[in-house]
Amino acid sequence: DAGVIQSPRHEVTEMGQEVTLRCKPISGHDYLFWYRQTMMRGLELLIYFNNNVPIDDSGMPEDRFSAKMPNASFSTLKIQPSEPRDSAVYFCASSPFGSGGSYNEQFFGPGTRLTVL
Amino acid sequence: KQEVTQIPAALSVPEGENLVLNCSFTDSAIYNLQWFRQDPGKGLTSLLLIQSSQREQTSGRLNASLDKSSGRSTLYIAASQPGDSATYLCAVNGNQFYFGTGTSLTVIP
């Protein structure tokens, strides 16, 4: 398997523009996670899906952020409108279901470095 | 809310030394704990996963232990090498995945 795939790897945009980040999880994984990493706040969970259904979006900072998972092999994170404070590295991760009743080992994609000018 | 702390924030050691990285968490009701490494500008690479029922896991020169009752995990790196230089993060899986802020390790040749 190619691992978790994210696109684009780098995105530079101007304030007010719409940004769409894409993720393809590892085939067969039941869970998909979106994270944001900044120097100030570290790694923050934004939202996660189980079998394409959003389970917890309490980490989504505000209504400008939205995430979808239309099928098991694709997810998007959209920011509209974007602001300079959204500049960060956005990671997608996927995980199989664990025998303990929760998700198991997480595998991360390479991330998308977003810069909003 | 689960809080995960990693100490020290940064560590510099000469090549060949054995070292221990620490991770502490406040809520012992966890499913598992995972250690990652992150190289500058890169994503996270999974190193070890310890289930809540386990006490330790080993992979090569790495050994991770888990003491749920005291809310602690350690990552032991034997015979450190310059290639081990990276940031090491622990993540605790309770009802969510909570990450520590990481330990930045530099191994000096």
Side-chain angles (χ1 to χ4, degrees), chain B residues 9 23 35 41 79 105 108:
Chain B
C23 172
W35 281 94
L105 173 66
I108 304 166

Side-chain angles (χ1 to χ4, degrees), chain A residues 9-11 21 35-42 44 46 65 79 83-91 111-116:
Chain A
R9 294 293 309 277
H10 301 272
E11 177 81 28
L21 311 181
Y35 291 91
R36 177 173 68 176
Q37 187 177 40
T38 61
M39 288 293 292
M40 290 295 295
R41 300 174 68 92
E44 301 173 282
L46 301 177
F65 286 69
I79 308 173
E83 297 182 3
R85 60 193 169 114
D86 301 331
S87 297
V89 180
Y90 291 81
F91 288 105
T112 295
R113 183 172 296 276
L114 174 64
T115 302
V116 184

